Amino acid sequence: MPLISSRKIKGNRLLDVVYLVHWSTISLFQRTAIDPYKMRSEFTPKLFSLLKEGISRETVSKDIISGIIVGIVALPLAIAFAIASGVSPEKGLITAIIAGIIISVLGGSRVQIGGPTGAFIVIVYGIVQEFGLNGLTIATFMAGFIIIGFGLARLGNLLKFIPYSLVVGFTSAIALIILSSQVNDFFGLGIKNVPSDFLEKWTVYFGNFRQLNGYAMAIATVTVLLTLHFQKVIKMIPGSIIAIILSTIVVKLFEIPVDTIESNFGDIPNKLNMPTIPAVDFNTIQSLIQPAFAIAILGSIESLLSAVVSDSMIGGKHRSNMELIAQGVANIFSALFGGIPATGAIARTATNVKNGGRTPISGIIHGVILLTIMMLFAPYAKLIPLSCLSGILIVVAYHMSEWRQFASIMKGNRMDIIILLTTFFLTVLFDLVIAIEIGIVLASLLFMKKMSESVHIQNITSDDVNGEHLFDHENLEIPQNVILYEINGPLFFGAARQFQETITQTSIQPKAVVIRMRYVPLIDATGFQSLKEIIKTFKSKEIAVIISGANEALLKDFEKYHLYEFIDKDCIAKNINIAIEKAKSI
């Protein structure tokens, strides 16, 4: 039984790739395209649907309580993520407020909580270092429109097919990068300019460990312990908030010599800025298009992952394309108000669900609570020790690391291990953008290799004496001097060449060859070229070719690819019986 396997891809195969992706996803598009009602509901925010159905007072009460708790949980995270990203702390608060409210109002999930997340730290820090704050604002602004485009194109369904090993790879790498970025503040080393490169960063750390600040390390250690364990004592109050309050009071009262937000960043504004549209020209778009796409892809993946997790917790079903549109709008307005990229936050969303949140009202309340805190308590927030925030981020990095899933994948098949390790090391040592791009390409190539290996072809006429066949051929009476080939799988560029070689390399000289295609879902441009070459080769030897069982889609493609210039239409048989009768008549 010959096996159609992948060959080295030569030349430009873009058309083939597009065709293959089109075949694998067309049913997803058709399911929504043929149902106008489904199309309308797909692009309706969950909040609007719930308000139309009616929300009980009991549900609203639980949402308000949950929103207050999530708002308090989000406060230290928003500040910490902003500082770790290389921007001032109020930008994290602005993002959590503006994006958080918009995502809840327009989103396709009942319980999604939006805002800045740890996943964006690597990208944001890199953009700020290379393009400055203005570059970050423009990239976030552009990313918003890209994400809206994803939603309108209904790519929400496709983003779910990104391999889990790729997601775990870059998520674990981001966790390691976050951890390494907090060493300076955790140990109070006082290094003013920490290199962005991972290896250089650790070289600088090891050269400065003699400057370790015991007070900073003690505050950070206590913060980690409180964040991890305090809710075992009092579930309603996050340990991170207790750590911030206690450390801030102790540092202020006893004048402990540690870095604070005020000493490094100055005051925190207690009001939102007026929205400003960034100046964008063609040159700016060219220079920032790659980081903008990185923000868009990562934000889309993260938000849909969060929505899927929340669905499993509440037994619901989110609207992925509406969720993407909401994420895009949120990022546009976050940029207008001077914020940073936002997405769905898995940890805060889970906190929302666990505390009784069941509608987007809780997400709106969370944003309002953060705005209230910013307006009333900003003068006190500047006193928070940076070592306390580093302790909180160390816990975030631990939860992001997904080390159990990482270890589990390492025990799996070789394809997943290659994708996992490639994405992980590229993210850590080079760049998250490069890691995602190469990871997706690598996953696609490995998938196409698997697809090519799944394509089988069998010469039924010359089968072995035991009568064992790969496919059921219904005890067909095949005439002498006729060869019947049964094919299973798509004939795309990864399998087309060997398909051609297998069929044309026959040891006998038949008068007719029947190619049965009942299990061939698609043929791409390379496959059609190989099919034409097969027909031409057999015709030169005066051997007739009959094609049997091609589906309706393939018959239309026969016209598009001008196959009838090489084979007569009466040699295209609807089923195998007609094909055999045609072969007998030759």
Side-chain angles (χ1 to χ4, degrees):
M1 178 183 69
L3 183 68
I4 301 298
S5 62
S6 65
R7 291 295 180 95
K8 186 176 181 181
I9 301 171
K10 296 180 180 179
N12 186 359
R13 298 297 191 220
L14 180 60
L15 179 61
D16 299 334
V17 174
V18 171
Y19 197 96
L20 181 64
V21 173
H22 167 76
W23 166 76
S24 63
T25 60
I26 190 169
S27 62
L28 292 172
F29 286 94
Q30 287 176 336
R31 283 200 295 271
T32 56
I34 60 177
D35 188 345
Y37 175 77
K38 191 169 184 178
M39 285 178 65
R40 288 196 300 271
S41 63
E42 182 184 9
F43 291 104
T44 302
K46 275 285 186 180
L47 178 62
F48 294 8
S49 298
L50 292 170
L51 289 174
K52 188 176 181 180
E53 296 169 5
I55 305 173
S56 67
R57 288 186 178 182
E58 182 183 358
T59 301
V60 172
S61 298
K62 289 181 179 179
D63 284 335
I64 292 173
I65 294 171
S66 180
I68 293 170
I69 294 171
V70 176
I72 295 171
V73 170
L75 174 67
L77 294 175
I79 295 173
F81 289 147
I83 293 173
S85 300
V87 298
S88 54
E90 77 275 3
K91 294 191 179 298
L93 290 173
I94 291 169
T95 306
I97 294 165
I98 301 297
I101 292 174
I102 291 174
I103 288 170
S104 293
V105 172
L106 299 180
S109 170
R110 293 173 65 105
V111 292
Q112 181 87 284
I113 301 295
T117 66
F120 275 127
I121 289 176
V122 178
I123 291 181
V124 173
Y125 188 84
I127 295 173
V128 171
Q129 294 296 308
E130 187 172 352
F131 301 102
L133 284 175
N134 188 55
L136 173 63
T137 300
I138 295 172
T140 305
F141 188 72
M142 291 166 56
F145 287 101
I146 295 170
I147 298 172
I148 290 174
F150 288 166
L152 293 176
R154 300 182 197 167
L155 297 182
N157 295 317
L158 303 185
L159 288 170
K160 297 174 185 176
F161 297 125
I162 291 178
Y164 185 61
S165 53
L166 188 151
V167 175
V168 172
F170 73 70
T171 303
S172 299
I174 289 170
L176 179 59
I177 293 170
I178 291 173
L179 184 146
S180 68
S181 70
Q182 297 309 302
V183 171
N184 184 33
D185 291 331
F186 191 97
F187 293 101
L189 302 181
I191 304 169
K192 296 302 179 185
N193 295 307
V194 179
S196 58
D197 181 78
F198 182 81
L199 297 178
E200 289 180 13
K201 189 178 295 181
W202 280 98
T203 302
V204 171
Y205 287 156
F206 286 123
N208 286 272
F209 262 115
R210 293 180 180 178
Q211 302 175 24
L212 184 145
N213 185 325
Y215 295 113
M217 193 172 78
I219 290 171
T221 304
V222 171
T223 299
V224 169
L225 294 174
L226 286 173
T227 304
L228 287 173
H229 302 295
F230 186 80
Q231 282 191 300
K232 295 177 182 178
V233 181
I234 303 175
K235 291 185 178 180
M236 298 291 287
I237 303 176
S240 56
I241 289 294
I242 299 300
I244 283 177
I245 293 172
L246 289 178
S247 63
T248 302
I249 292 173
V250 169
V251 168
K252 182 64 177 176
L253 286 179
F254 296 99
E255 298 182 351
I256 296 175
V258 293
D259 288 339
T260 63
I261 291 176
E262 183 181 30
S263 66
N264 283 40
F265 298 96
D267 292 335
I268 297 178
N270 61 352
K271 61 180 180 180
L272 296 176
N273 298 323
M274 290 298 293
T276 304
I277 299 176
V280 182
D281 55 32
F282 184 71
N283 291 332
T284 306
I285 292 174
Q286 278 188 314
S287 60
L288 290 171
I289 191 65
Q290 189 178 29
F293 260 103
I295 292 171
I297 293 172
L298 182 59
S300 300
I301 295 171
E302 192 82 4
S303 64
L304 294 182
L305 279 175
S306 178
V308 169
V309 170
S310 65
D311 281 350
S312 66
M313 296 177 74
I314 65 172
K317 186 177 181 182
H318 72 281
R319 296 164 183 166
S320 56
N321 295 313
M322 191 63 235
E323 184 64 27
L324 289 181
I325 292 172
Q327 297 288 338
V329 174
N331 276 280
I332 290 171
F333 276 88
S334 177
L336 293 177
F337 281 88
I340 59 178
T343 185
I346 297 175
R348 275 159 276 169
T349 299
T351 302
N352 182 32
V353 173
K354 289 176 183 177
N355 285 282
R358 289 297 179 272
T359 76
I361 292 173
S362 57
I364 297 170
I365 296 297
H366 134 272
V368 173
I369 291 296
L370 284 171
L371 178 60
T372 304
I373 293 172
M374 182 179 183
M375 294 173 66
L376 298 179
F377 299 103
Y380 304 102
K382 68 182 181 181
L383 303 175
I384 298 173
L386 294 181
S387 53
C388 177
L389 295 177
S390 73
I392 293 170
L393 285 174
I394 292 293
V395 176
V396 170
Y398 170 75
H399 290 307
M400 276 187 69
S401 65
E402 301 193 50
W403 60 271
R404 292 183 180 85
Q405 292 86 338
F406 195 102
S408 176
I409 293 172
M410 287 297 295
K411 298 175 184 177
N413 65 65
R414 187 175 63 178
M415 184 174 76
D416 286 330
I417 294 172
I418 291 171
I419 295 170
L420 174 74
L421 294 180
T422 300
T423 309
F424 178 83
F425 285 112
L426 284 175
T427 303
V428 171
L429 299 177
F430 294 97
D431 182 71
L432 179 60
V433 178
I434 294 172
I436 292 176
E437 290 172 348
I438 293 179
I440 290 174
V441 171
L442 180 62
S444 301
L445 290 174
L446 290 172
F447 167 74
M448 286 184 279
K449 181 178 183 296
K450 285 284 185 182
M451 287 281 289
S452 68
E453 291 172 350
S454 71
V455 179
H456 294 81
I457 179 170
Q458 184 180 21
N459 179 342
I460 292 176
T461 306
S462 60
D463 211 6
D464 59 53
V465 293
N466 295 326
E468 294 181 0
H469 303 282
L470 180 62
F471 311 109
D472 172 25
H473 57 88
E474 300 125 16
N475 298 316
L476 297 170
E477 294 183 8
I478 301 171
Q480 289 185 348
N481 298 322
V482 174
I483 297 179
L484 170 62
Y485 286 100
E486 178 90 64
I487 306 168
N488 181 13
L491 295 181
F492 68 108
F493 61 87
R497 178 54 56 185
Q498 193 159 339
F499 155 70
Q500 180 179 343
E501 292 173 355
T502 303
I503 287 186
T504 54
Q505 290 175 358
T506 175
S507 59
I508 62 175
Q509 184 74 11
K511 291 183 178 180
V513 171
V514 178
I515 302 176
R516 196 176 191 185
M517 293 188 173
R518 57 176 175 166
Y519 296 133
V520 178
L522 76 90
I523 305 176
D524 70 2
T526 308
F528 272 110
Q529 186 60 35
S530 294
L531 188 56
K532 291 174 185 177
E533 293 293 333
I534 288 170
I535 295 170
K536 285 165 63 178
T537 300
F538 282 132
K539 271 192 173 183
S540 67
K541 299 177 181 179
E542 298 183 346
I543 300 172
V545 176
I546 303 166
I547 296 175
S548 163
N551 60 44
E552 290 296 326
L554 286 184
L555 292 177
K556 291 179 181 178
D557 287 338
F558 288 176
E559 295 273 5
K560 293 178 183 177
Y561 286 91
H562 308 292
L563 190 68
Y564 294 125
E565 294 178 7
F566 300 85
I567 187 171
D568 294 334
K569 284 192 175 183
D570 60 356
C571 288
I572 307 296
K574 186 176 182 180
N575 57 55
I576 189 62
N577 294 317
I578 297 173
I580 294 298
E581 290 301 318
K582 178 70 178 176
K584 286 179 180 178
S585 68
I586 297 176

